[in-house]
Amino acid sequence: MINKYDPSEIETKWYQTWEQAGHFKADMSAEESYCIMIPPPNVTGTLHMGHAFQDTIMDALIRYHRMQGKNTLWQPGTDHAGIATQMVVERQLDAKGSSRLELGREAFVEKVWEWKEQSGNTITNQLRRIGASPDWERQRFTMDEGLSEAVMKVFVELHEEGLIYRGQRLVNWDPTLNTALSDLEVESIEENGFMWHFNYPVADDAGNATDQFLTIATTRPETLLGDTAVAVNPEDGRFKHLIGKNILLPICERLIPIVGDDHADPEKGTGCVKITPAHDFNDYEVGKRHDLPMLNVLNFDATINKNAPEPYQGLPRYEARKAVVAEMERLGLLVEIKPHTLMVPRGDRSGDVIEPMLTNQWYVDAKTLAGPAIEAVDTGAIKFVPDNWKNTYYAWMNDIQDWCISRQLWWGHRIPAWYDENDNIFVGLNEGDVRAKHNIADDVKLRQDNDVLDTWFSSALWPFATLDWPKDSEELKAYYPTNVLVTGFDIIFFWVARMIMMGIKFMDDVPFKEVYIHGLVRDGQGQKMSKSKGNVLDPLDVIDGITLEDLLEKRTKGLMQDQPKKIEQIKKATKAEFPEGIKAYGCDAMRFTFASLASTGRDVNFDMGRVEGYSNFCNKIFNASRFVMMNTEDYVATANNFSNATVIEQWILSRLQNCISDYRRHMDSYRLDLASQSIYDFFWNEYCDWFLELSKPLLKSEHKAQVQHTLLYVLDQALKLLHPLMPFITEEIWQTVKEKLSLSDESIMISPMPVHNEALVNTQSDAEIQWIKDLTLAVRQIRGEMNIPPSKKLDVLVTNCGDKDLHCLNTQQDLLKTMARLASVNLLEGEEPPAATALMGDMKLLIPLAGLIDVAEESARLNKQVAKVTQEIKRAEGKLANEKFTAKAPAHLVEAEKEKLTQNEKALTELQEQLEKLSNL
């Protein structure tokens, strides 16, 4: 065993050993399977704290089930991330003075593939650094040949069933990326703006403007150019006589109708609403109800198009806004401008303001697919953990809209649809398939749809497409449906629901049996980590460490240099939090921290103090193991069933069974926080602090060989429980334990997970050692309060002993003297001397004070106890005097209060007697 614990020395070594030995591979020969699909990270992405947290949870579950001998598959892979990846490559081209349009589609896509090959392994290599153990040989990519085949098949089959269709509808349009976005890719951000109030003149029957006006309010004056109606509420007495008349639309000089619609709220604003069906989602619905024209006045780059009056054509939208406002003011139709706070929709990738745009897109009939997916959760075929997240799922699924799956990008799965010269649409797996199915001659020109599929379309197929569907593979039979999906709540809509819909549709079964929802990782103060806040932590920096200088540079890199105040704030906060940078804690300490925070569903605050604490735990594990190794150098492995175990060994073996039960119960219910706490408490508090100390005298006795075996056996079991959470240090230590115990497994990660052994549960030894611990702690407390050196051996007297106390005194006196550092332990004979006292149930422990303590200090200590006990007596008396409590509370609670009162009254009497004795010293 190495002399000093250094994470950097062991982590790379053991990961390479595991991977080269094939320990991550699924074992198809095992009877029971266990499978988790990794949420595929972006192929060009890098590891962040959210990834590290989520992947630690998955890896812990995988290692835990692998050690149970199951056919365990953690399916790895990456997502092509259409928008994100295309943006990266476009920026690279822009920096070189080129563009995708200049290159052309084919050449640009080749450039993206080149970039994918260069950077695509970054995040998978980073996953290796945190100990992730997926079956790397099965790694998939959403645009590899097999997955692309699955995507085409699904599209074609859904189209043939009428569940995919092409239609003109309003979509979220990103003018920077020039593509449609789903609602889920749009962030609504509160911003300060303005509300413009305009007068629209009512027209007479001849179509001329009258001196009567309807006042409308808008935050987007440029959309006036696309208005096709004004709506008033049909019950609004102020305006209902105007329904059916027309407005002469200013600037455009078009007649548009006044319609009656409930969308106009009489209590809101002016009660009159301008309707722009091609550029507002609510207006779009009004337009459909009243069969209004859908007049699109924007180009894809958000400039004004030819449907607007000539002076505005070609103007960028915000220049057009200024021009419209200026013209309305010139016409005397601008009523007022008010400051206004509004929610501005922005693309989550580009940050640009989104425009509702009327375009032709491809859609999935999501409502039809949602029915069986809702039923799967209703019937319990899929369970959410924690259960309350199913309500979030229901809320979206019950109000689901058709899914726009086309994107105006070049990187992605190109839509398998072809058009002839008359724009007739033909769908097939490829052009040859289209021609064969529709009997189209080779000389008829066909052009493929330019759009690609939404990235989430291919990701929705991940649970079965990665298992070689549409082939009827052995893997598909073994692993589908998978066991659990581990994910954040933020993609329940994006991904979880869509996988459920597609899985049921194409596999006739759910894609996973459980969905474990974890929280988001926040900083130590509970703030969301973001580049703009300068509080982002890199998991690799937690593992390997980073200097303050490098951390400052990383946190401020990319921020606008014209924000010196913000940069200075970030630097100041970083220096305060990490005055010397971040030291290297190693992977195991970080992973154990994540596990300790992994309570179901709640956001977690990543506190570096915890990492420090669990780094100390790693050192504790290492040092305790070195103690065991040094004391078992001459151990000879033999078969041992613990039949000759001492009471100390019986106790630690019994406590181990309790730990195993708790740990496994918590792991099975996804409470990694409780599982980590159970093994932490056992190893540190019971194995290290008590058993190792209690074993020292036995290692010098005739019980040596037996105790050596128990030391090694319990260490072996504890390391195996720790392994899913702390893989590296446990493997390093276990290799030495394995040799000592002559175990046959090559690695701890493929050794058997401990199971509860009822035969080793021993309640009597539990009680006896607990008695020793209680007495030892009582002595230690008195030592601490009275400042008695730990090395000074004390004489102890006991009185009021019960049968259990006498038994333990008679059988465990040697252990007691060792643990509590006592010179003697005797029954009290005669009157009590002045002594420091402690109570253990009815038994009283006395440490004679003569020549031992400062009388004044001890008097002060006893007076504090008197005050505390007196307060408890008053509390209990008040409670028992309350008729509501005594009449309504369960009888056992009333009796418990009476018992507490009796005990405290007795304790008070004893304390007062002790004070009296002190006064005579």
Side-chain angles (χ1 to χ4, degrees):
M1 187 171 168
I2 56 177
N3 293 321
K4 184 181 177 184
Y5 170 60
D6 182 349
S8 63
E9 283 187 18
I10 65 173
E11 290 175 3
T12 303
K13 173 187 75 173
W14 281 116
Y15 197 91
Q16 290 174 350
T17 301
W18 293 329
E19 190 169 0
Q20 290 167 5
H23 292 328
F24 302 156
K25 292 180 184 176
D27 178 11
M28 293 293 286
S29 65
E31 289 184 16
E32 186 179 355
S33 66
Y34 184 85
C35 179
I36 298 177
M37 294 284 166
I38 197 169
N42 289 356
V43 68
T44 56
T46 55
L47 195 71
H48 56 62
M49 291 297 278
H51 287 133
F53 178 50
Q54 177 173 271
D55 293 323
T56 294
I57 292 170
M58 283 187 282
D59 188 59
L61 292 171
I62 285 292
R63 288 178 183 270
Y64 171 66
H65 286 276
R66 186 187 284 128
M67 291 174 73
Q68 293 178 52
K70 296 177 185 177
N71 175 14
T72 306
L73 171 64
W74 186 11
Q75 175 63 55
T78 50
D79 188 276
H80 65 278
I83 293 175
T85 306
Q86 180 159 321
M87 281 178 67
V88 169
V89 179
E90 287 204 63
R91 284 177 187 145
Q92 291 176 342
L93 291 173
D94 184 60
K96 295 176 182 177
S98 183
S99 70
R100 68 181 172 103
L101 295 174
E102 185 178 318
L103 282 181
R105 183 170 195 143
E106 190 173 332
F108 174 76
V109 171
E110 284 181 12
K111 284 286 183 189
V112 183
W113 276 108
E114 287 174 15
W115 171 245
K116 182 262 178 188
E117 293 305 316
Q118 291 171 11
S119 66
N121 292 328
T122 298
I123 198 162
T124 54
N125 288 332
Q126 290 175 334
L127 283 170
R128 287 173 165 89
R129 286 290 287 112
I130 65 166
S133 62
D135 188 344
W136 290 115
E137 292 185 7
R138 291 192 52 82
Q139 188 168 348
R140 304 301 297 271
F141 176 51
T142 48
M143 282 182 62
D144 68 26
E145 188 176 339
L147 265 74
S148 295
E149 179 186 347
V151 169
M152 296 301 108
K153 179 177 175 62
V154 167
F155 186 97
V156 171
E157 290 189 10
L158 289 177
H159 181 265
E160 288 174 350
E161 290 185 47
L163 295 174
I164 283 182
Y165 63 92
R166 185 167 171 79
Q168 188 180 62
R169 291 176 51 180
L170 209 59
V171 298
N172 298 302
W173 187 264
D174 188 316
T176 295
L177 300 177
N178 273 285
T179 184
L181 301 179
S182 73
D183 290 343
L184 305 170
E185 295 166 302
V186 178
E187 296 177 330
S188 290
I189 300 171
E190 186 174 88
E191 299 182 16
N192 293 324
F194 297 94
M195 182 75 79
W196 287 266
H197 292 250
F198 297 139
N199 277 338
Y200 281 11
V202 178
D204 59 21
D205 292 341
N208 300 311
T210 67
D211 57 2
Q212 185 177 4
F213 299 97
L214 290 183
T215 304
I216 61 90
T218 181
T219 59
R220 300 160 68 213
E222 67 279 9
T223 61
L224 173 154
L225 304 173
D227 284 357
T228 59
V230 170
V232 297
N233 193 287
E235 301 303 317
D236 192 337
R238 296 172 295 171
F239 308 118
K240 66 180 181 179
H241 65 284
L242 295 174
I243 294 172
K245 293 185 178 297
N246 291 317
I247 291 291
L248 184 61
L249 185 64
I251 299 177
C252 301
E253 297 298 310
R254 283 189 283 109
L255 289 174
I256 61 174
I258 301 170
V259 299
D261 195 279
D262 290 339
H263 174 57
D265 185 347
E267 304 298 323
K268 234 173 142 181
T270 66
C272 305
V273 182
K274 65 188 281 299
I275 304 299
T276 321
H279 297 291
D280 182 277
F281 288 99
N282 290 322
D283 294 0
Y284 177 74
E285 297 301 324
V286 175
K288 287 199 297 184
R289 287 195 289 271
H290 297 278
D291 198 24
L292 299 174
M294 306 278 180
L295 184 63
N296 183 3
V297 294
L298 287 176
N299 294 312
F300 288 149
D301 62 356
T303 57
I304 305 299
N305 67 19
K306 293 182 179 180
N307 290 329
E310 188 174 353
Y312 302 91
Q313 292 175 13
L315 289 179
R317 56 184 160 172
Y318 298 124
E319 288 185 27
R321 174 177 296 180
K322 292 176 184 176
V324 166
V325 172
E327 181 62 9
M328 290 296 280
E329 186 173 22
R330 189 188 71 78
L331 294 170
L333 298 175
L334 173 62
V335 179
E336 62 179 334
I337 305 172
K338 290 183 177 180
H340 180 70
T341 301
L342 67 160
M343 300 304 293
V344 178
R346 291 186 177 271
D348 63 355
R349 295 287 182 186
S350 68
D352 199 358
V353 176
I354 296 303
E355 291 290 347
M357 188 82 74
L358 197 63
T359 61
N360 283 308
Q361 302 286 347
W362 290 91
Y363 293 89
V364 171
D365 176 358
K367 194 165 285 292
T368 298
L369 294 175
I374 293 169
E375 185 182 0
V377 177
D378 279 339
T379 60
I382 295 176
K383 293 179 182 177
F384 278 84
V385 181
D387 184 66
N388 61 289
W389 282 110
K390 72 182 181 186
N391 298 324
T392 304
Y393 173 80
Y394 285 144
W396 189 66
M397 293 293 276
N398 287 322
D399 191 37
I400 197 168
Q401 303 299 308
D402 283 1
W403 172 17
C404 177
I405 57 171
S406 47
R407 298 289 182 269
Q408 288 64 54
L409 303 171
W410 286 355
W411 172 245
H413 295 103
R414 195 166 177 181
I415 288 176
W418 282 259
Y419 303 83
D420 63 16
E421 292 179 341
N422 296 317
D423 285 339
N424 294 309
I425 302 175
F426 306 96
V427 170
L429 297 173
N430 50 52
E431 185 176 339
D433 182 44
V434 164
R435 290 185 184 276
K437 275 204 298 192
H438 299 281
N439 199 25
I440 302 172
D442 291 343
D443 60 350
V444 173
K445 287 186 179 180
L446 295 176
R447 68 182 191 282
Q448 188 173 355
D449 197 302
N450 281 319
D451 293 351
V452 299
L453 287 164
D454 176 14
T455 301
W456 296 103
F457 187 88
S458 50
S459 297
L461 317 183
W462 190 250
F464 55 93
T466 50
L467 299 174
D468 300 328
W469 183 89
K471 297 175 185 173
D472 187 22
S473 68
E474 290 302 312
E475 287 81 3
L476 198 61
K477 294 173 186 174
Y479 302 117
Y480 193 94
T482 64
N483 293 77
V484 61
L485 176 73
V486 179
T487 187
F489 65 82
D490 50 333
I491 56 173
I492 290 176
F493 318 122
F494 272 119
W495 193 44
V496 179
R498 289 165 177 172
M499 282 192 289
I500 296 172
M501 289 190 284
M502 291 299 194
I504 293 173
K505 176 65 179 173
F506 288 94
M507 293 297 299
D508 200 28
D509 201 350
V510 297
F512 26 75
K513 297 161 191 170
E514 293 181 300
V515 181
Y516 167 52
I517 302 292
H518 60 75
L520 299 180
V521 182
R522 299 179 177 273
D523 70 10
Q525 288 70 50
Q527 298 292 311
K528 187 175 180 179
M529 291 189 190
S530 70
K531 182 71 178 172
S532 63
K533 289 181 181 176
N535 63 345
V536 171
L537 275 175
D538 184 331
L540 299 188
D541 291 341
V542 178
I543 294 172
D544 298 327
I546 186 172
T547 65
L548 176 60
E549 183 180 6
D550 288 344
L551 182 59
L552 291 172
E553 182 182 352
K554 180 180 279 193
R555 286 190 162 185
T556 57
K557 186 178 180 180
L559 292 177
M560 299 295 291
Q561 293 307 307
D562 61 353
Q563 296 178 295
K565 188 174 180 181
K566 185 170 189 178
I567 290 173
E568 192 55 39
Q569 285 175 341
I570 290 172
K571 287 184 175 181
K572 184 178 179 181
T574 300
K575 288 175 183 177
E577 188 175 8
F578 306 109
E580 298 178 2
I582 299 174
K583 78 175 191 179
Y585 290 106
C587 181
D588 287 322
M590 184 188 73
R591 283 175 60 116
F592 204 84
T593 303
F594 280 134
S596 74
L597 294 169
S599 58
T600 50
R602 294 202 302 263
D603 287 357
V604 301
N605 297 350
F606 192 84
D607 179 7
M608 291 301 293
R610 274 184 179 258
V611 188
E612 179 82 39
Y614 292 131
S615 175
N616 294 337
F617 183 43
C618 290
N619 283 310
K620 184 82 169 181
I621 295 167
F622 186 82
N623 292 332
S625 301
R626 278 192 57 77
F627 169 84
V628 173
M629 297 310 146
M630 287 188 294
N631 284 281
T632 56
E633 287 179 353
D634 58 348
Y635 171 74
V636 178
T638 56
N640 192 316
N641 62 3
F642 304 106
S643 57
N644 296 317
T646 62
V647 67
I648 301 168
E649 295 167 87
Q650 292 169 14
W651 167 74
I652 195 64
L653 291 166
S654 185
R655 299 308 300 155
L656 174 64
Q657 305 319 304
N658 182 70
C659 177
I660 291 170
S661 295
D662 287 348
Y663 174 91
R664 293 188 67 139
R665 183 176 73 256
H666 296 320
M667 289 295 286
D668 290 340
S669 58
Y670 307 108
R671 290 304 303 267
L672 272 69
D673 56 333
L674 300 180
S676 63
Q677 190 64 45
S678 64
I679 183 58
Y680 177 93
D681 288 343
F682 172 79
F683 196 91
W684 191 303
N685 298 332
E686 296 182 317
Y687 185 67
C688 295
D689 287 358
W690 290 100
F691 182 64
L692 296 190
E693 291 302 314
L694 291 166
S695 71
K696 287 177 181 178
L698 293 177
L699 287 167
K700 299 173 184 176
S701 72
E702 71 274 15
H703 301 292
K704 177 180 178 180
Q706 171 64 54
V707 174
Q708 284 179 321
H709 179 78
T710 304
L711 281 165
L712 288 165
Y713 172 79
V714 177
L715 179 58
D716 164 75
Q717 296 286 286
L719 290 172
K720 288 173 179 176
L721 294 174
L722 282 164
H723 177 75
L725 310 176
M726 307 174 99
F728 296 108
I729 190 172
T730 51
E731 182 72 90
E732 178 69 30
I733 297 169
W734 186 81
Q735 289 294 325
T736 307
V737 176
K738 163 193 162 182
E739 292 177 12
K740 296 271 188 184
L741 292 173
S742 298
L743 303 176
S744 59
D745 295 302
E746 188 178 335
S747 165
I748 191 173
M749 70 175 293
I750 55 171
S751 65
M753 175 58 59
V755 294
H756 177 85
N757 183 349
E758 187 64 28
L760 293 179
V761 174
N762 190 311
T763 54
Q764 182 167 336
S765 67
D766 283 353
E768 289 186 22
I769 300 302
Q770 188 60 50
W771 187 90
I772 291 175
K773 287 171 67 177
D774 290 344
L775 195 147
T776 301
L777 290 171
V779 172
R780 287 177 181 174
Q781 183 176 354
I782 293 173
R783 281 183 186 273
E785 290 174 352
M786 298 172 61
N787 202 26
I788 301 173
S791 59
K792 185 175 181 63
K793 292 191 176 183
L794 303 175
D795 293 310
V796 169
L797 299 173
V798 292
T799 185
N800 294 340
C801 298
D803 290 343
K804 172 186 168 185
D805 302 319
L806 291 171
H807 171 78
C808 291
L809 278 171
N810 290 330
T811 60
Q812 304 301 336
Q813 190 154 147
D814 289 342
L815 278 178
L816 189 57
K817 288 179 180 178
T818 300
M819 292 305 297
R821 296 197 64 78
L822 304 178
S824 65
V825 185
N826 295 301
L827 293 172
L828 175 68
E829 296 179 1
E831 284 191 25
E832 292 184 12
T837 63
L839 293 176
M840 287 176 53
D842 291 330
M843 188 181 82
K844 182 190 286 187
L845 175 93
L846 301 95
I847 297 179
L849 302 177
L852 187 64
I853 65 159
D854 183 306
V855 173
E857 275 187 21
E858 179 59 10
S859 296
R861 186 182 76 84
L862 290 172
N863 277 314
K864 282 183 182 178
Q865 285 189 302
V866 166
K868 185 178 178 182
V869 172
T870 302
Q871 188 176 3
E872 276 299 303
I873 289 172
K874 287 180 179 178
R875 184 200 62 78
E877 286 176 338
K879 202 167 186 178
L880 291 168
N882 185 342
E883 291 184 5
K884 288 183 179 178
F885 173 72
T886 54
K888 295 182 179 180
H892 71 277
L893 292 181
V894 176
E895 285 303 313
E897 279 299 326
K898 290 179 179 177
E899 180 63 24
K900 283 180 189 175
L901 178 59
T902 302
Q903 288 178 355
N904 280 317
E905 287 172 337
K906 183 179 177 184
L908 180 61
T909 300
E910 292 173 346
L911 287 166
Q912 289 169 336
E913 288 174 357
Q914 193 64 30
L915 278 167
E916 186 178 346
K917 288 173 184 176
L918 275 177
S919 66
N920 296 324
L921 284 178

